[in-house]
Amino acid sequence: MTLIRRRSAIVAAAALGATSLAGKALAQPTVTLRLHQFLPPQATIPARAIAPWAQKIESESGGRIKVQQFHSMSMGGSPPQLFDQARDGVADIVWTVLGYTPGRFNKAEVFELPFMSGKAEPASRAFHEYVQKHAADEFRQVHLLAAHTHGPGLFHSKSAITGLDSLRGLKVRGGSRIINNLLAKLGAAPVGMPVPAVTEALSKGVIDATTIPWEVTPSLKIAELVKHHTTFSGATGLFTQTFALVMNRGSYNKLPADLKAVIDRNSGVETAALFGRAMDEGDKVGLEVAQKAGNSIVTLDAAETQRWKTTAAAVEADWVKEVQGKKIDGAKLVAEARALLAKYK
C-alpha cells in the first residue's frame, strides 16, 4: 500500500469512527422533567433557587435533561395537591409547602413549632438532615430532592401590632395547622389559606393580617396592602414553615445511571442550603421594599417577646401530646431538631 493510500485509509477510518460516536451521542436519551409549583416566576424561590437549580442540572447533563417549569399552579389543581401530583406522576417534580397537607408530615412538623429557628440557610441544612434521619418514611412515596425552611416568620398587618394585647381578635392568615394553633393561643382569629390567596384576602378584608416571612412579600404586594410589620427580639422568628422539592419515583427510577447521578449531585443538604440561602436573600429584599414604602416596622423588645414565647410554649406541649398518640416520641424529636439547629448555627 502506498503512503497516499495508507493515509486515505486512516482518514476514512477516523471519519467512520467519528460518525459512529456522533450516532451514539445522538442516540443518548434526553428527558424533559415537568416541575410544578405555586408561586409566580418572579417570586424568591422560583427566581433565586428553582431557576438556577434547573439550569445547573441542564448544564451538567449536557442538555440531556430539560426542566420545564410550570408556575402559579398552571398545570392545574391547588397548592395542597402538589405533593400528590409528584406521587402520582401528574408532575415529575414539585416544590411545595409541607404544612398544606395537615397530618401528613407529623415528624417533619417539629420544625414549624414556635420560635424554633431563624435564618433559613442553616435551618434548611438542619431540616434536611433531620428529615433524612427521623422523617424519611414520610417521603417514601416520592424521591426527596431537598427539604428546607424559610427565614424568621413575622406579622404584616393593617393595624399596628405592638404587643400581645393588640393581636387579640384580629383575623390573621396562618399557613399551617401549627401556626393556626399558635395564633389561636395568642388570641387572634386564625384563617388558614395557601400563600397565593393572601393578596386578595387582604385587599377584600377577609383578613386583617398575615403571617409570612419577608421574602414572599414583594411578589404578593404586601407592603402596598398593609402599613405595619411586627417582628421579634432574638435570633428566631415567631414561626417557620417547611418546604420540600420532591420527584416522582418512577420519573427518577427510569433515568439512566449517568442522569440519575446528575440529579443526585443536585440533591441533599447543599441543595437545601441553596433554597434556604435564596430565602435569606429574599428576606433582605422584602424588608427593603417595606422600608422604601415608609411602612412601620416594629421589633418587640426582649420582655415582650418573652411574653409571646411563654404563651407559645403551650403549642409545643400540644404537639408533643398529639404525636404521642401516634406512637411518636415528640419530646425526643424536638430535642433532635434543636440539636441539629445548633450544629448548623
Side-chain angles (χ1 to χ4, degrees):
M1 183 181 290
T2 66
L3 180 60
I4 293 174
R5 286 180 179 177
R6 189 177 295 116
R7 285 177 176 170
S8 297
I10 291 170
V11 169
L16 181 62
T19 301
S20 176
L21 288 171
K24 288 180 180 179
L26 289 172
Q28 288 182 319
T30 58
V31 178
T32 298
L33 298 175
R34 296 157 304 156
L35 191 156
H36 196 201
Q37 57 86 27
F38 57 91
L39 288 177
Q42 72 272 19
T44 299
I45 287 297
R48 294 173 178 255
I50 290 175
W53 178 82
Q55 290 165 6
K56 192 165 181 284
I57 283 175
E58 291 177 357
S59 175
E60 290 184 12
S61 70
R64 290 172 55 214
I65 296 178
K66 301 292 185 185
V67 180
Q68 188 176 9
Q69 297 177 53
F70 294 87
H71 307 289
S72 303
M73 301 305 302
S74 56
M75 289 181 69
S78 61
Q81 296 173 325
L82 279 166
F83 190 87
D84 286 343
Q85 289 185 356
R87 180 197 65 188
D88 299 338
V90 174
D92 300 296
I93 301 170
V94 305
W95 174 69
T96 188
V97 178
L98 300 182
Y100 284 172
T101 48
R104 189 173 205 159
F105 300 98
N106 296 297
K107 298 172 187 173
E109 206 171 44
V110 66
F111 269 70
E112 295 180 13
L113 292 174
F115 297 102
M116 177 63 77
S117 64
K119 290 289 187 181
E121 182 176 353
S124 294
R125 291 179 186 274
F127 182 53
H128 188 90
E129 184 173 335
Y130 170 90
V131 167
Q132 289 181 309
K133 289 182 176 179
H134 304 292
D137 60 310
E138 296 181 345
F139 295 84
R140 64 187 178 278
Q141 295 177 317
V142 296
H143 181 77
L144 177 65
L145 302 173
H148 72 98
T149 74
H150 64 48
L154 68 151
F155 288 103
H156 311 270
S157 56
K158 292 181 178 180
S159 60
I161 298 173
T162 55
L164 201 51
D165 297 336
S166 55
L167 179 70
R168 294 198 173 101
L170 294 184
K171 295 175 292 182
V172 185
R173 176 264 178 185
S176 74
R177 70 186 197 95
I178 293 286
I179 297 168
N180 286 337
N181 185 25
L182 169 62
L183 291 172
K185 282 194 164 43
L186 293 170
V191 181
M193 65 179 69
V195 74
V198 168
T199 303
E200 184 176 2
L202 278 171
S203 64
K204 292 186 174 181
V206 175
I207 55 176
D208 304 307
T210 184
T211 53
I212 50 175
W214 282 116
E215 60 83 16
V216 77
T217 57
S219 62
L220 299 179
K221 303 187 183 306
I222 299 299
E224 299 173 25
L225 294 168
V226 306
K227 294 301 175 187
H228 303 277
H229 313 269
T230 302
T231 187
F232 300 84
S233 296
T236 58
L238 174 67
F239 67 93
T240 307
Q241 285 204 260
T242 56
F243 306 78
L245 184 71
V246 301
M247 187 171 180
N248 174 264
R249 278 197 169 276
S251 299
Y252 175 79
N253 289 335
K254 70 184 180 185
L255 292 175
D258 62 330
L259 294 188
K260 277 184 184 175
V262 173
I263 297 295
D264 292 345
R265 285 197 302 272
N266 291 281
S267 304
V269 169
E270 291 306 317
T271 299
L274 164 69
F275 278 66
R277 192 159 53 248
M279 289 289 201
D280 288 335
E281 291 167 356
D283 279 346
K284 296 175 185 176
V285 174
L287 173 59
E288 288 171 0
V289 170
Q291 289 171 331
K292 288 179 181 177
N295 289 2
S296 165
I297 301 170
V298 173
T299 300
L300 300 182
D301 64 25
E304 181 62 24
T305 297
Q306 186 56 52
R307 284 184 69 203
W308 292 64
K309 288 183 176 180
T310 300
T311 303
V315 177
E316 183 176 315
D318 285 350
W319 182 82
V320 169
K321 183 178 180 180
E322 180 187 348
V323 297
Q324 188 176 17
K326 300 176 182 179
K327 302 188 186 307
I328 297 171
D329 188 342
K332 181 180 178 181
L333 292 182
V334 169
E336 293 284 351
R338 289 197 170 118
L340 285 167
L341 285 163
K343 171 183 173 181
Y344 288 106
K345 189 174 180 181

